[in-house]
């Protein structure tokens, strides 16, 4: 028998919506072959579904994003032959939408202000949470969470200048079937904790901006790298809280370098533009992706 305080929610996408996919590069460096492969998979899936493919530029992190990288991403995608529909959506131009979502989460009493610093958090966590990827948000200690009975401060100008966290439904298991990575599930409060939705610099977190945009743009399938599977559970909770339909998901395996480490923007040799300058053609890159994918589908015994 299932204990009263636990439940499993299997999230299935809303049926029969015409396919809308998206590419969502962050302009923090030149696109490398790993991004290109994920974007190629996204474009192939949209094409197979005779769907639309949008382009969203994740440029909220002003300390790391550069306009020059936006230009280079557009150029590289065009070179690779991955056509997306106009207009291009820039997250930096969509702040009112994210603010409105924060206000809705606030009215639903699903968030709370958080005054803890990253350092507080690092000190509280003696050891990294088991199974927690290095780049994933650490598990927020539950004892730091205020009771839901405590009235929330208003969201006014000052309210947008503080950190807000989403209160996850502890004990609830969220599950979905990923089109590429297979069945996925995570236990709220254990596999991931209360996560940031808003930062005191006045900007939404990636989780909030992404969920709001996927809903607002009517995305039916999110294709992205497997490093973001854990984020998906947070975004599913946000979509539910905002009463928006969930898309389906296809998390593509990450490309690794010769040391088995995942490709990063510092791998300059694997930047698309470096390959292009070295004489590699877009046809060759795409043929390589297609070959890899066939090999993944039918591995040699
Ligand atoms: N901008 C994110 C990245 O480049 C991807 C976000 C997403 O696809 O949801 O890693």
């Amino acid at each position: 028998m299932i204990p009263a305080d636990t439940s499993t929610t299997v999230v299935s996408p809303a049926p029969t919506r015409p396919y809308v996919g998206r590419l969502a590069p962050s302009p923090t460096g030149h696109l490398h072959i790993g991004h290109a492969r994920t974007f190629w998979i996204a474009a192939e899936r949209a094409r197979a579904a005779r769907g639309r493919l949008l382009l969203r530029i994740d440029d909220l992190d002003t300390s790391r994003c550069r306009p020059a990288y936006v230009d280079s991403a557009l150029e590289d995608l065009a070179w690779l032959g991955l056509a997306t529909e106009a207009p291009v959506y820039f997250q930096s131009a969509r702040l009112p939408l994210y603010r409105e979502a924060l206000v809705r989460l606030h009215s639903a009493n699903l968030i709370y202000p958080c005054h803890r610093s990253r350092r507080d958090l690092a000190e509280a966590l003696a050891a990294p949470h088991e199974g927690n990827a290095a780049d994933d948000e650490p598990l927020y200690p539950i004892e730091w969470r205020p009771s839901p009975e405590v009235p929330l401060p208003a969201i006014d100008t000052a309210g947008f200048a503080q950190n807000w966290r989403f209160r996850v439904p502890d004990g609830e298991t969220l599950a979905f079937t990923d089109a590429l990575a297979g069945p996925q599930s995570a236990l709220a409060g254990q596999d991931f904790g209360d996560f940031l939705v808003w930062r005191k610099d006045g900007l939404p977190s990636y989780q909030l901006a992404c969920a709001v945009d996927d809903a607002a743009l009517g995305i039916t399938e999110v294709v992205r790298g497997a490093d973001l599977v854990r984020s998906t559970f947070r975004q599913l909770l946000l979509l539910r809280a905002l009463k928006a339909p969930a898309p389906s998901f296809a998390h593509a395996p990450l490309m690794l370098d010769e040391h088995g480490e995942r490709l990063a923007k510092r791998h300059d040799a694997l930047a698309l533009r470096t390959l292009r300058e070295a004489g590699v053609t877009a046809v060759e890159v795409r043929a390589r992706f297609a070959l890899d994918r066939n090999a993944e589908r039918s591995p040699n015994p």
Side-chain angles (χ1 to χ4, degrees):
M1 198 174 124
I2 301 171
D5 60 343
T6 62
S7 65
T8 298
T9 306
V10 179
V11 183
S12 312
T16 66
R17 289 196 291 161
Y19 190 102
V20 186
R22 52 37 164 213
L23 310 182
S26 300
T28 55
H30 295 302
L31 294 186
H32 60 60
I33 193 84
H35 300 118
R37 190 173 71 150
T38 303
F39 294 156
W40 175 80
I41 293 172
E44 287 288 293
R45 293 183 67 84
R47 195 169 60 91
R50 295 175 195 278
R52 300 164 55 206
L53 187 63
L54 310 183
L55 177 60
R56 181 184 91 201
I57 304 288
D58 288 1
D59 60 347
L60 284 171
D61 184 349
T62 41
S63 64
R64 293 172 61 227
C65 296
R66 301 270 175 278
Y69 293 132
V70 176
D71 297 342
S72 85
L74 297 178
E75 206 179 282
D76 290 346
L77 291 173
W79 173 74
L80 199 58
L82 303 187
T84 52
E85 205 177 283
V88 179
Y89 297 93
F90 288 88
Q91 288 196 318
S92 58
R94 298 166 67 77
L95 215 54
L97 228 69
Y98 310 137
R99 283 174 168 242
E100 188 195 309
L102 187 73
V103 170
R104 285 175 59 195
L105 297 176
H106 179 271
S107 315
N109 202 25
L110 288 169
I111 56 175
Y112 59 84
C114 167
H115 306 290
R116 304 284 179 168
S117 64
R118 269 184 214 198
R119 188 156 158 200
D120 292 339
L121 200 46
E123 282 170 6
L125 302 170
H129 181 60
E130 201 187 319
N132 202 347
D135 56 357
D136 197 34
E137 198 171 322
L139 199 72
Y140 192 72
I142 196 150
E143 56 277 15
W144 288 356
R145 166 201 273 184
S147 147
E149 313 298 320
V150 176
L152 293 180
I155 292 216
D156 47 18
T157 314
F160 286 112
Q162 63 181 332
N163 291 330
W164 291 89
R165 272 180 199 274
F166 185 87
R167 186 186 294 276
V168 303
D170 300 313
E172 180 178 341
T173 299
L174 286 136
F176 66 94
T177 300
D178 190 284
L180 294 172
Q184 306 292 321
S185 68
L187 180 58
Q190 183 175 305
D191 294 326
F192 64 98
D194 291 355
F195 54 93
L196 276 179
V197 286
W198 200 267
R199 303 192 321 224
K200 59 179 191 272
D201 58 5
L203 294 172
S205 67
Y206 155 67
Q207 311 295 354
L208 182 65
C210 184
V212 167
D213 282 338
D214 286 334
L217 301 175
I219 302 301
T220 62
E221 183 178 75
V222 169
V223 181
R224 60 184 171 200
D227 53 326
L228 290 170
V229 169
R230 194 68 65 96
S231 288
T232 299
F233 297 105
R234 301 182 177 106
Q235 292 169 21
L236 285 171
L237 288 176
L238 289 174
L239 289 163
R240 183 169 81 187
L242 296 168
K243 303 196 173 12
S248 50
F249 292 89
H251 287 90
L254 297 180
M255 273 178 90
L256 305 176
D257 69 9
E258 68 277 20
H259 308 295
E261 286 190 24
R262 104 185 206 214
L263 294 190
K265 284 175 179 156
R266 65 191 150 73
H267 285 87
D268 286 343
L270 295 170
L272 283 187
R273 51 198 41 228
T274 313
L275 297 174
R276 181 162 84 225
E277 278 154 21
V280 177
T281 68
V283 172
E284 285 165 348
V285 172
R286 290 205 309 265
R288 181 62 213 234
F289 292 157
L291 215 69
D292 287 353
R293 195 171 58 170
N294 288 340
E296 273 164 20
R297 278 183 183 156
S298 49
N300 287 330

